[in-house]
Structure formats: structure tokens, C-alpha cells
Amino acid sequence: MKILIFIYSIIIYSCDLKIKYDDFNTNGDKPIVFSKGWGEKYKYPIILDLSNQILDEDKTNFKQIENAVSTWNKAIGKKIIYLRSGSNNFTGNSFNDLYLPFSQNINGIYFDQLSNGNGGWIKNTGKSANLIATTIYISNGSFIIKASIRMNRDTYIFGDTTVPLNNKTHFYVDLESIILHELGHVLGLGHVLNERDSVMYPYISIGENSISNPTTFRVLSDNDIIRIRSIYVN
């Protein structure tokens, strides 16, 4: 089962992650969307505040997301992204509009999940139920000003797909792989449609990882590294 990933914006962008990760550059193949990243004057690192809800569901989620952050930082050769936990009490259901997270002065990572009949992925984001995640931006057109990641917890279970679930499900998604792709968008990369070895390729398999159905995508390709270094390494 394949999933597509994407992400995009105008002064505001949104990227969606389906069976298809998401939909960042909906106009087709565009490996680098923001060649200036977060701008020449941005004081790094970019702090991403992880929603407490994500840790409350499973404490191991932090390590998987941290692994994805570390992968990009190592490729760039310096700490461009810093993952922070414990200070973001908001959830996806705190924001009943796709871009409402920007009302808070943080760059966050959220689960959107139906709760007590209120909220939920479709209602909050307006996105399709089969999309896995979306990354939203505020941009001045040439570089990024703010970004947040929202994940479709209504349809999908996020975790380490190399570890079997007690209750098998086709909707089991590798969290580290998804975050690695979405962080590529946060850093300014778009989709590459003709490089299946790139983490920015917009499709991923879901379910438990196996030889016949590999569902992890945790290693940057040579071109991924070249592109991200072209943005952040002078």
C-alpha cells in the first residue's frame, strides 16, 4: 500500500502527507522551494516545540522524531533544528483552521485527532482523510518565517514500524520516516518525483515493516544531502 507526502504555501503554505506523504509542491517536481531557507539573518537553530499530546500517547515518539532531526543536522554539519518538549500544551484540536497554529509564536508539531466528537483532522485542516500529514508555512516568498507540522492521527497510528503492533493495522505509519520527510519541507525542500531513493520522494508504504513491504525511509540520499547543504552551507 503506497502513500504520498506533500506540502505548500503562498505567504502561507501547506504540505500534505498521504499514502503519499503530503503535497508540498503540488505543481510538480521542485526539489528546492526556498533556496534561502529561513533567511540569511535567521538565528539558528529553528526550535520545534513538540506537542505534549504526542509524548503522552507514547514516550518513544520523542526519540523517533529526535532521530529525524539529528539526520538533517548531521547532513548539514551544524545544529539547524532543535527539538523541544514539555512546553507545548496545544494539540491539533486546539486549532480548528489549517493555519491557526500561527496564532501562537511557536513552530510546532501536532497530532490532529478526533476527541469527544469535536475537532479532528478533516474538520481542523480541511484535508483528505487519507493524507498522512501536512506542513504549513508563512513565507515572504523567498524564505521561510514560520512552519509547523500537523499529522493525521484520526486515520493513522504513528510509531516504529519495525516493532510489530499487538493489533495489526494497515494504517501503521513509521513516525521517523514521516518526520524526516516533513522536516525536509520545513527546511525548504520540495518533492522529487523521479528519485525513489530520496526521502523527499512523495510516496511511502505503510503497515508493519518487512522485506516484502519496507515501510521505513530513514536515510538521506546523496542528492538530499547536496540539496540541503546548498541551502545551509556556504
Side-chain angles (χ1 to χ4, degrees), residues 205-218:
S205 294
I206 58 174
E208 288 186 6
N209 190 67
S210 66
I211 294 175
S212 61
N213 182 47
T215 61
T216 61
F217 216 150
R218 302 174 179 176

Side-chain angles (χ1 to χ4, degrees), residues 22 58 76 78 84 110 144 212:
D22 54 39
D58 190 335
I76 296 167
K78 54 188 173 182
R84 185 166 62 184
Y110 305 97
I144 304 162
S212 61

Side-chain angles (χ1 to χ4, degrees), residues 148-165:
S148 287
I149 298 171
R150 303 180 71 163
M151 292 183 281
N152 179 2
R153 184 59 185 82
D154 274 342
T155 303
Y156 300 101
I157 296 174
F158 295 93
D160 180 352
T161 60
T162 66
V163 179
L165 285 177

